[in-house]
């Protein structure tokens, strides 16, 4: 009620309508190789909170907050296939940067860090939504690096099909590298030599049977860790 210019009361009625605004918060996740388009059309690929002011259908400003989470692309490399000696171990760490990553090995364990002491194929599957699942594997062989080489102390090349030749016996499954097997008579003359670990001495030299006596042998090879091994001794030729 207001007094007008001539001193009379005037009543003014105001009908006020409040048009609503909108305050929205949206959460979205993308992989780091992807992009996201905000409500205002801007394309982004970095994590953060983005605020857009838009006009709603009432003509009022509306604020839309977009909370964007970016997950790194899972990258895992378990290394090349490898081997190690019995008594040692290998620790594999398959942890990736994504905080929501889930891990599963082919033995169903879920810890990204694995201590390996036995031979086998080890495969891991890593899932980090919204990125794609990745898989990697590594084959590990555990070696008997203390491979023992045994040598008989006598043989009898007399055509009775028993102990007709002589060669070293390996107390493991390794195939020696840089192998050399030599035999000398008591005068120091070399009567046999081979670099093939399958080949045995049949008791002959230049095609002739050698006399009954004690011979000296020398065996050289490299083990699984590439260490040079030497074994010497004597063997008796009997008939």
């Amino acid at each position: 009620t207001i007094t007008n210019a001539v001193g009379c009361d005037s009543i003014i009625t105001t009908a006020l309508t409040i048009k609503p605004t909108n305050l929205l918060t949206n959460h979205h996740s993308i992989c780091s190789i992807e992009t996201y388009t905000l409500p205002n059309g801007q394309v982004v690929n970095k994590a953060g909170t983005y605020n857009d002011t838009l006009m709603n259908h009432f003509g009022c400003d509306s604020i839309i907050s977009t909370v964007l989470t970016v997950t790194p692309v899972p990258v895992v490399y378990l290394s090349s296939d490898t081997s190690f000696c019995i008594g040692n171990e290998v620790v594999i760490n398959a942890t990736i940067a994504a905080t929501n990553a889930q891990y599963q090995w082919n033995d169903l364990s879920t810890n990204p860090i694995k201590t390996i002491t036995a031979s086998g194929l080890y495969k891991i599957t890593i899932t980090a939504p919204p990125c794609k699942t990745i898989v990697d594997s590594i084959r590990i062989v555990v070696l008997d690096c203390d491979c023992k080489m045994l040598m008989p102390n006598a043989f009898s090349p007399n055509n009775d099909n028993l102990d007709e030749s002589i060669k070293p016996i390996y107390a493991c499954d390794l195939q020696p590298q840089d192998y050399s097997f030599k035999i000398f008579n008591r005068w120091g003359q070399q009567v046999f030599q081979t670099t093939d670990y399958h080949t045995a001495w049949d008791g002959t030299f230049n095609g002739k049977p050698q006399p009954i006596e004690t011979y000296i042998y020398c065996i050289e090879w490299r083990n699984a860790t590439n260490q040079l091994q030497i074994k010497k001794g004597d063997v008796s030729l009997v008939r």
Side-chain angles (χ1 to χ4, degrees), residues 30-205:
I30 62 172
C31 194
S32 57
I33 61 174
E34 300 174 331
T35 59
Y36 180 77
T37 302
L38 297 172
N40 66 2
Q42 181 184 0
V43 178
V44 295
N45 63 356
K46 293 184 179 180
T49 299
Y50 298 88
N51 294 318
D52 294 323
T53 302
L54 303 175
M55 184 178 295
N56 64 15
H57 66 279
F58 295 108
C60 297
D61 287 344
S62 295
I63 298 177
I64 301 178
S65 292
T66 301
V67 180
L68 186 64
T69 301
V70 178
T71 300
V73 176
V75 176
V76 63
Y77 176 58
L78 299 184
S79 186
S80 302
D81 294 348
T82 187
S83 61
F84 61 89
C85 299
I86 293 175
N88 296 322
E89 62 184 29
V90 169
V91 178
I92 297 179
N93 189 345
T95 304
I96 64 173
T99 58
N100 65 335
Q102 297 178 346
Y103 307 86
Q104 186 172 49
W105 295 89
N106 52 338
D107 62 1
L108 302 184
S109 60
T110 57
N111 191 328
I113 301 176
K114 177 174 285 292
T115 299
I116 298 175
T117 58
S119 297
L121 177 67
Y122 296 86
K123 181 171 69 174
I124 191 168
T125 300
I126 303 178
T127 303
C131 298
K132 294 182 179 180
T133 297
I134 59 171
V135 177
D136 195 22
S137 63
I138 181 174
R139 185 175 296 278
I140 294 179
V141 178
V142 179
L143 302 173
D144 180 3
C145 298
D146 294 326
C147 178
K148 302 301 180 183
M149 183 174 287
L150 306 178
M151 184 70 175
N153 57 12
F155 73 117
S156 57
N158 55 6
N159 298 319
D160 64 355
N161 294 323
L162 296 174
D163 301 323
E164 292 294 326
S165 60
I166 191 168
K167 69 176 182 176
I169 301 171
Y170 310 110
C172 62
D173 295 330
L174 297 183
Q175 297 183 355
Q177 300 173 352
D178 298 332
Y179 173 81
S180 173
F181 176 29
K182 299 177 182 178
I183 294 181
F184 305 85
N185 61 22
R186 61 179 177 174
W187 309 109
Q189 181 184 20
Q190 180 177 301
V191 296
F192 175 77
Q193 190 273 334
T194 183
T195 57
D196 180 2
Y197 58 88
H198 295 297
T199 301
W201 185 42
D202 62 1
T204 65
F205 177 54

